[in-house]
Amino acid sequence: MNIKNIVNRDIVNLTNCESEPIHIPGSIQPHGFLLGINKNNSKIEFSSENSADYIGLTPEVILGKTLAEIFTEEEASGFVEYVSAAVIDTAKPYVFSMKEELYNTTVHQSGETIILEFEPFPDGTLNLPNLYNQTRKFVSIMEKATYMKELCQEIVNETREITGYDRVMVYKFDANYNGEVIAESRNKDVASFEGQKYPHTDIPVQARELYIRSPLRMIADVSYKPVPLLTLDDAAGKSNKSLDLSLSILRSVSPIHIEYLMNMGVAATLTISLLQNQKLWGLIACHHYSPKILPHYTRLSALLQGHFLTSQIAVREVAEEFEVTQEVDKALSESLTLLHDHDDFIEAFHQAPSVLKMANATGVVIYYNGKLYKNGQVPADEELIPLLEHLAANYNSHGIHTEHLLGIYPEGKSLSRYAAGIIYHAIPSGSHAGILWLRSEKIETIKWAGNPHKAVLPNEAGDRLSPRKSFELWAEEVKDLSETWRKSEINAAANFSFSLQKHVNLRLIRTQEDKNRILNEELKSANKELANLNWISTHDLKEPLRKIQIFASKVLDREDPDLSAQVKDSVERMRFAAEKMQLLIEDILSYSKTGNMEKVYEKVDLNNILSEVLQELSTVIEEKKAVVHADKLPELAVIPFQVRQLFINLISNGIKFTAPHIHPEINITVDEVSGEDISHEKSVGNTRYCRISFADNGIGFSEEYKERIFDVFQRLHPAHKYPGSGIGLAICKKIMENHKGFLTASSEPDKGSVFQVYFPV
């Protein structure tokens, strides 16, 4: 039979303690022995080398056997029943006996191996803890202790009374896993560690992970000699066997940790994990200055103290946070009331004490419209403005909070006196606008248990790293940091900043409304003046023009025989000009009315309107021998008199703008189209339009004029050849705008024109 040990020799020659495989040491502490049973075949696959010291059987005898071959049939059968339970109760170990010796046997599974750890009863008796009294004491402690630190102190006092260790501490981790002793109970003969801090390197990552998986660890004697685990050498070539001992109470400890404890002068330890949200919050650490084996049930009592304390961590921290939150919320409410009640809050109320109190800040600055509004202790303006510009450039879309301003603004070393920590939120209403809460520097002297910068030093052999040898008090002064911002303070600052942003935006809106109101009044006044001018031009000018026409006609009728041909021509020209001007004024009046008259829509049959228009234009149609063809038109909700004017203008243009000796022909067609199919800027995609087309055989125009022809007074042809004011198509365009529609034109010279009007359906 070939037997080999599975000691992990990589541990001995480490160069980095943070990669040490402490969960597979391949050895155990000697205050008990270990067996590993293969779950599949029930045979003993692992045995610690010291089995003979306890049960008189060497590993050579044990390995490859079953429990029934080592212990009595009755005990083996009882164990099978014990281990077959849905959950193995590790708090109640199975009891084996051998040679009249009883062994508490804790059991857990590691992969395919069931691990049995045998510990003899130290005094040969089973000492069960008095759980009732222990729980009653804790409830009394819980009622008496108001704050977390007080509760921790009571727990260490009680734990030391239960266990008898020389020193019991509660060791709390910070965010970087540096630890601090926040409560301590000790023998009067040992020096105090309370208030001292220990660097995160003292408990590396893989050790912290084990503390989470296994809540209790005991070292009975730091001077112990590790006991190797043995196994059968597998002929199949599986020579790299290892056994994960993460949950083992007997697991051998890292030699680096042993050396660390020896350097501290500690001979035995017990460590209990304190968890919050599945993260390591801290430890209950027990030290003894001589070897000490704590019996199984006493360990459970100590572990129960850890569970008691763990149950209160979140409750106590929330309670302490609640006290702060109440004060913060009160200050926030006061500040919001001032903000909502006063439009001039920034200028008049920025120095309100509540603005500081809501974040428990030492100073606050609002930067708005290029001005600084300051409250409390703040740096000089020439230092503040570059900081605010930096924050606005880098944190404009989201706020930021930090206890170490130099980490994000290295050039701000001189600001630490006032602004070691900040909360900042931008105000998106102007260049670099924002609100900034400041906290002054909190210079702190930290008491380290030894120099934290020499947490790990090379040993004399130089083949691996070993822990520092000095634990003398080492003081470090920490600067450029503020107190940590609490969550409630950060939330209150964010809440107020959001309200301030709305307040500023509302101010801007009101300012713009005032400007718009003034502009609107000015526009109304201008429109009134224009209306007066329009009245004068369209009414007061009509009478003189009418008189000019009458006088000219009288002169020509009465004095005709006595007038020279030259005078007759001049008077005729004067009469013609007055008539032309009167027509122009009437067209201007029509254009003005088109935009200003009340828009009353009626559902009408467009065929009726077209008939009226053709009847009105019958004289010119007969004179020009024009022909008008029209499809049946629909019923639409329109402004009847405006649509009538639209039809008159479009048909009149089709008759007027024709070549000599050509009989005008106008075709009016109708269809329905979707907005998506119309390439016009005023077309709405999800709207249907009734399209009415007016196509003529007139003289046409160049495509470049298809938009300009709708401008007022825009003429493409000489007035003496094609008379008119140049307003007709502008009136048509405005009529279609009144109907929320539009008008288009297309044409080629000498090939006629097509005007299309689009009414939304």
Side-chain angles (χ1 to χ4, degrees), residues 138-147 150-151 154 316:
F138 175 73
V139 171
S140 175
I141 289 169
M142 189 172 63
E143 291 175 347
K144 182 172 63 175
T146 304
Y147 296 103
E150 296 173 16
L151 181 62
E154 294 291 345
R316 296 299 171 127

Side-chain angles (χ1 to χ4, degrees), residues 148 170-174 178-182 281-283 317:
M148 190 67 193
V170 168
Y171 182 88
K172 181 183 177 182
F173 294 111
D174 65 14
N178 299 308
E180 178 184 4
V181 178
I182 63 171
W281 181 88
L283 302 169
E317 289 187 344

Side-chain angles (χ1 to χ4, degrees), residues 442-455:
K442 181 186 177 184
I443 299 177
E444 184 179 6
T445 300
I446 298 178
K447 299 176 181 178
W448 293 98
N451 188 339
H453 307 297
K454 296 182 179 180

Side-chain angles (χ1 to χ4, degrees), residues 388-624:
L388 287 161
E389 290 176 348
H390 173 83
L391 294 172
N394 292 278
Y395 307 99
N396 190 46
S397 60
H398 57 89
I400 184 174
H401 67 273
T402 178
E403 293 78 34
H404 184 49
L405 177 60
L406 291 182
I408 63 168
Y409 187 60
E411 51 268 56
K413 177 70 176 175
S414 61
L415 295 171
S416 289
R417 177 184 172 189
Y418 299 103
I422 64 160
I423 299 176
Y424 172 78
H425 288 276
I427 302 175
S429 61
S431 178
H432 308 310
I435 182 167
L436 178 68
W437 283 271
L438 314 172
R439 264 192 186 162
S440 58
E441 177 183 42
K442 181 186 177 184
I443 299 177
E444 184 179 6
T445 300
I446 298 178
K447 299 176 181 178
W448 293 98
N451 188 339
H453 307 297
K454 296 182 179 180
V456 180
L457 297 172
N459 67 356
E460 293 79 358
D463 55 359
R464 67 176 175 87
L465 298 180
S466 61
R468 65 188 187 278
K469 293 177 170 50
S470 173
F471 290 88
E472 292 182 3
L473 191 63
W474 194 88
E476 180 180 30
E477 190 174 65
V478 178
K479 296 183 176 181
D480 302 318
L481 292 176
S482 73
E483 285 189 2
T484 302
W485 299 101
R486 291 176 178 264
K487 187 175 180 179
S488 58
E489 296 161 348
I490 296 168
N491 291 342
N495 192 332
F496 182 78
S497 298
F498 178 69
S499 296
L500 182 61
Q501 290 172 15
K502 291 198 295 183
H503 173 83
V504 168
N505 289 337
L506 187 60
R507 284 180 59 169
L508 291 174
I509 290 171
R510 286 174 178 168
T511 301
Q512 192 61 44
E513 283 179 345
D514 290 340
K515 290 180 180 178
N516 290 343
R517 186 168 55 253
I518 293 170
L519 287 174
N520 193 37
E521 292 297 329
E522 291 175 353
L523 185 59
K524 284 181 179 179
S525 178
N527 284 338
K528 189 174 182 180
E529 290 177 7
L530 287 173
N532 291 334
L533 289 173
N534 184 54
W535 176 263
I536 292 169
S537 64
T538 57
H539 292 81
D540 293 0
L541 291 179
K542 276 186 177 182
E543 184 62 23
L545 288 172
R546 189 177 64 82
K547 289 180 178 179
I548 290 171
Q549 292 180 67
I550 292 172
F551 292 153
S553 296
K554 285 182 178 181
V555 169
L556 290 173
D557 292 342
R558 295 177 182 177
E559 308 296 335
D560 184 74
D562 301 324
L563 297 176
S564 66
Q566 186 176 3
V567 171
K568 284 182 182 180
D569 182 64
S570 297
V571 173
E572 182 63 34
R573 286 175 181 272
M574 179 181 67
R575 187 187 65 78
F576 180 76
E579 182 180 347
K580 183 179 177 182
M581 180 173 285
Q582 189 169 18
L583 290 173
L584 179 61
I585 289 171
E586 287 176 354
D587 284 345
I588 292 173
L589 180 60
S590 296
Y591 183 79
S592 174
K593 286 181 178 179
T594 303
N596 295 330
M597 292 186 69
E598 185 179 356
K599 301 174 181 64
V600 179
Y601 292 87
E602 297 179 24
K603 190 168 186 179
V604 297
D605 187 342
L606 298 187
N607 295 291
N608 296 335
I609 293 179
L610 179 60
S611 296
E612 293 174 5
V613 169
L614 294 177
Q615 181 65 33
E616 185 175 335
L617 297 176
S618 60
T619 302
V620 69
I621 290 174
E622 290 176 7
E623 181 184 330
K624 290 278 191 174

Side-chain angles (χ1 to χ4, degrees), residues 702-721:
S702 296
E703 191 72 10
E704 63 184 290
Y705 297 114
K706 68 177 184 178
E707 298 295 337
R708 288 173 54 189
I709 60 173
F710 298 113
D711 294 341
V712 177
F713 302 131
Q714 182 63 50
R715 301 182 57 86
L716 304 183
H717 307 287
H720 69 275
K721 193 172 183 180

Side-chain angles (χ1 to χ4, degrees), residues 164-166 219-222 265-269 287-293:
Y165 281 90
D166 291 331
I219 304 174
D221 184 357
V222 299
V266 175
T269 65
H287 288 177
H288 209 63
Y289 290 89
S290 61
K292 183 177 181 64
I293 298 175

